[in-house]
């Protein structure tokens, strides 16, 4: 029988992380302020707001949208978005007839410069296993019901190419400005597991 | 390697849910695991592919039970141990001492970083040969099952699809992870019909996956 490869009193992750830090810091191999800086960057600065700005621009500037779909990497670099896990960006567009959704079945590759670090559901074995096999069922379970005639396109991020979904602009947002559109664009819509919700506009 | 990490198409996982307003990290240790993970290739003298392979190599029990950042933590320890920066068991011993156990810590080992130097930053490299397959061409994913690192998941092996896009040339993870050369090669986005992958009863959709030249052969 398979044995659990650890003793019952194996120290928990929290303690092992502290141990690793103390070992590396005492030998001068790591500067704690560098680690803290990395953490702060992804906790505070790099997140889905970056992607939302791209989407709002593409919705309001047809020439930008054209550039974004033709060469995602340089179009997002116009905003200064680049760096780890963003070496090459391919943008796919969701429309009323075609729905794109992104996964990484082998680990959890994700376009960090545009969306930050991946959420738990994206890293969940249930998502990684099922979205490449029964996407329509899984998307419905996540609250996104797609009509039978909508074609589903799944993208498995197996190379260093990172996929970014340009969601469909919701009906009823025609009068909104780029700045007003930004907060409507959700992280989940930019991975392809949600639509951008129609805002309740003041009558 | 045909490990637990290769999850595409597995049955039995049940449902997943989206956590509303999820924090980036759920605990301080997750943030630290991320921070050290982000530095681990540099600290161990390795690379991103070796890092992924260090995650793939974790025991399936640990892979599943420790979760995403637990795997990062384990991966950092694996890379640093392989490179002789830390002795095997050093992290566990220090953790036990931190909680007051009287255990002996192993000494500092002899450094054994790989003899390896990347030819450029990141994983993309220029390549001056023409792509072997044209857009629209039918190709088959090879049936291969290497013991080492690969980015060819089981669920596409042996199946036939269509090249839809030329991606930029990359270093080959299969050799780069083991410091056996960058083997820069064309990457192709290949589209498969769901019925090709999962049979006639499958949901109707298509799946696109990036395939390194080494993973492909002309369709029969």
């Amino acid at each position: 029988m398979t044995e659990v490869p650890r003793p019952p009193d194996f120290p928990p992750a929290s303690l092992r992380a502290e141990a690793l830090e103390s070992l590396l810091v005492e030998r001068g191999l790591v500067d704690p302020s560098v680690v803290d800086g990395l953490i702060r960057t992804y906790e505070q600065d790099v997140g889905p707001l970056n992607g939302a700005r791209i989407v709002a621009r593409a919705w309001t500037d047809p020439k930008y949208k054209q550039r974004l779909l033709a060469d995602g990497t340089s179009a997002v670099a116009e905003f200064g978005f680049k760096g780890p896990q963003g070496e090459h960006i391919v943008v796919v567009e969701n429309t009323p007839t075609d729905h794109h959704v992104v996964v990484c079945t082998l680990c959890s590759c994700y376009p960090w410069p545009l969306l930050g670090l991946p959420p738990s559901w994206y890293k969940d074995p249930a998502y990684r296993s099922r979205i490449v096999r029964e996407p329509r069922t899984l998307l419905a379970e996540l609250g996104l019901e797609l009509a039978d005639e909508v074609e589903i396109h799944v993208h498995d991020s197996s190379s260093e190419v990172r996929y970014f979904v340009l969601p469909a602009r919701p009906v009823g947002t025609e009068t909104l400005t780029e700045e007003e559109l930004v907060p409507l664009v959700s992280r989940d819509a930019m991975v392809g597991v949600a639509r951008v919700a129609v805002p309740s506009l003041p009558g | 390697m045909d490990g637990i990490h290769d999850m595409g198409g597995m049955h039995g996982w049940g449902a997943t849910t989206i956590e509303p307003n999820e924090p980036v990290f759920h605990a301080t240790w997750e943030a630290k695991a991320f921070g050290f993970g982000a530095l681990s290739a540099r600290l161990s003298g390795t690379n991103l592919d070796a890092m992924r392979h260090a995650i793939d190599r974790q025991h399936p029990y640990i892979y599943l039970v420790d979760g995403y950042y637990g795997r990062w933590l384990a991966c950092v320890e694996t890379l640093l141990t392989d490179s002789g920066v830390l002795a095997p068991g050093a992290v566990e011993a220090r953790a036990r001492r931190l909680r007051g156990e009287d255990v002996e810590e192993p000494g500092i080992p002899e450094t054994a970083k790989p003899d390896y130097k990347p030819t450029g930053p990141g994983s993309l490299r220029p390549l001056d040969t023409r792509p072997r397959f044209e857009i629209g061409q039918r190709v088959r994913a090879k049936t291969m099952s290497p013991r080492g690192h690969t980015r060819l998941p089981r669920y596409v092996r042996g199946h036939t699809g269509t090249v839809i896009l030329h991606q930029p040339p990359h270093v080959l993870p299969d050799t780069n992870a083991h410091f056996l050369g960058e083997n820069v090669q064309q990457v192709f986005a290949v589209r498969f019909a769901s019925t090709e992958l999962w049979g006639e009863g499958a949901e109707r959709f298509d799946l696109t996956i990036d395939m390194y030249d080494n993973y492909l052969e002309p369709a029969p």
Side-chain angles (χ1 to χ4, degrees):
Chain A
M1 198 187 122
T2 302
E3 304 230 349
V4 173
R6 279 175 181 168
D9 69 340
F10 193 71
S14 52
L15 205 52
R16 284 182 287 121
E18 202 183 320
L20 180 68
E21 182 175 33
S22 100
L23 285 165
L24 294 175
V25 170
E26 79 183 9
R27 282 170 59 194
L29 295 172
V30 159
D31 176 352
S33 70
V34 172
V35 179
D36 291 344
L38 275 165
I39 294 168
R40 233 185 357 260
T41 296
Y42 287 96
E43 261 185 335
Q44 295 172 12
D45 304 333
V46 180
L49 180 59
N50 289 0
R53 289 175 57 201
I54 299 284
V55 171
R57 173 71 52 87
W59 282 349
T60 52
D61 178 346
K63 288 219 168 79
Y64 183 75
K65 178 175 161 181
Q66 227 171 29
R67 292 205 294 284
L68 184 68
L69 293 171
D71 180 353
T73 318
S74 46
V76 306
E78 292 176 32
F79 283 77
F81 302 150
K82 52 188 169 186
Q85 298 300 307
E87 269 191 274
H88 188 80
I89 304 284
V90 169
V91 180
V92 287
E93 183 185 13
N94 280 350
T95 68
T97 55
D98 290 86
H99 186 86
H100 298 266
V101 58
V102 180
V103 65
C104 168
T105 61
L106 293 171
C107 41
S108 293
C109 295
Y110 193 71
W112 292 3
L114 303 180
L115 298 179
L117 300 179
S120 289
W121 60 261
Y122 187 82
K123 303 177 284 194
D124 189 329
Y127 183 77
R128 287 166 53 190
S129 61
R130 294 179 60 202
I131 198 75
V132 297
R133 185 164 190 143
E134 44 175 359
R136 197 174 292 272
T137 304
L138 185 59
L139 290 173
E141 285 177 23
L142 292 172
L144 178 61
E145 302 260 4
L146 293 170
D148 288 344
E149 59 272 21
V150 176
E151 287 188 29
I152 298 180
H153 311 286
V154 181
H155 300 268
D156 191 353
S157 316
S158 54
S159 74
E160 297 308 323
V161 175
R162 295 290 167 267
Y163 291 92
F164 178 77
V165 175
L166 174 61
R169 181 173 179 168
V171 176
T173 59
E174 293 76 9
T175 59
L176 298 186
T177 64
E178 184 179 334
E179 290 71 31
E180 290 168 326
L181 289 165
V182 170
L184 303 182
V185 184
S186 71
R187 172 198 68 201
D188 299 346
M190 295 181 279
V191 188
V193 301
R195 285 189 191 89
V196 173
V198 183
S200 44
L201 297 172
Chain B
M1 63 179 280
D2 294 343
I4 185 69
H5 66 285
D6 185 358
M7 291 184 157
M10 282 176 81
H11 280 134
W13 286 108
T16 185
T17 51
I18 297 175
E19 183 183 333
N21 305 312
E22 184 181 353
V24 175
F25 303 110
H26 290 77
T28 309
W29 75 263
E30 289 192 353
K32 283 187 195 294
F34 168 74
F36 289 115
L39 298 172
S40 62
R42 204 182 312 160
L43 287 169
S44 59
T46 64
N47 58 46
L48 179 62
D49 295 309
M51 185 189 170
R52 289 210 184 94
H53 189 50
I55 292 177
D56 300 349
R57 280 188 283 150
Q58 300 304 317
H59 187 284
Y61 171 87
I62 290 170
Y63 187 97
L64 296 175
V65 169
D66 281 17
Y68 183 75
Y69 287 112
R71 298 198 278 275
W72 277 55
L73 190 59
C75 141
V76 177
E77 196 181 338
T78 298
L79 288 175
L80 293 177
T81 307
D82 285 355
S83 292
V85 176
L86 294 178
V91 174
E92 182 184 347
R94 176 60 58 93
R96 288 181 183 278
R97 286 184 74 86
L98 285 172
R99 71 178 177 199
E101 289 179 45
D102 183 19
V103 296
E104 203 169 317
E105 294 191 271
I108 296 172
E110 208 169 304
T111 307
K113 291 183 183 176
D115 180 16
Y116 159 78
K117 213 170 164 48
T119 65
S123 304
L124 307 185
R125 300 283 185 272
L127 183 68
D128 54 15
T129 55
R130 271 177 60 84
R132 186 159 60 114
F133 303 111
E134 302 297 331
I135 289 168
Q137 193 172 340
R138 300 279 290 162
V139 290
R140 185 164 68 182
K142 286 182 189 165
T143 296
M144 57 185 235
S145 193
R147 290 193 72 87
H149 188 55
T150 188
R151 297 292 287 177
L152 174 65
R154 276 176 282 212
Y155 75 90
V156 297
R157 294 177 193 169
H159 291 296
T160 299
T162 306
V163 173
I164 63 159
L165 189 66
H166 290 149
Q167 305 286 26
H170 286 54
V171 303
L172 179 67
D174 305 46
T175 50
N176 197 48
H178 302 282
F179 322 109
L180 296 173
E182 292 191 339
N183 278 311
V184 176
Q185 53 186 264
Q186 186 66 50
V187 173
F188 302 87
V190 179
R191 179 169 286 173
F192 296 89
S194 59
T195 46
E196 165 72 14
L197 298 174
W198 308 114
E200 272 313 308
E203 278 188 15
R204 293 301 193 265
F205 64 98
D206 59 51
L207 176 128
T208 301
I209 180 165
D210 293 326
M211 307 281 277
Y212 294 77
D213 188 289
N214 259 38
Y215 302 166
L216 293 173
E217 57 196 8

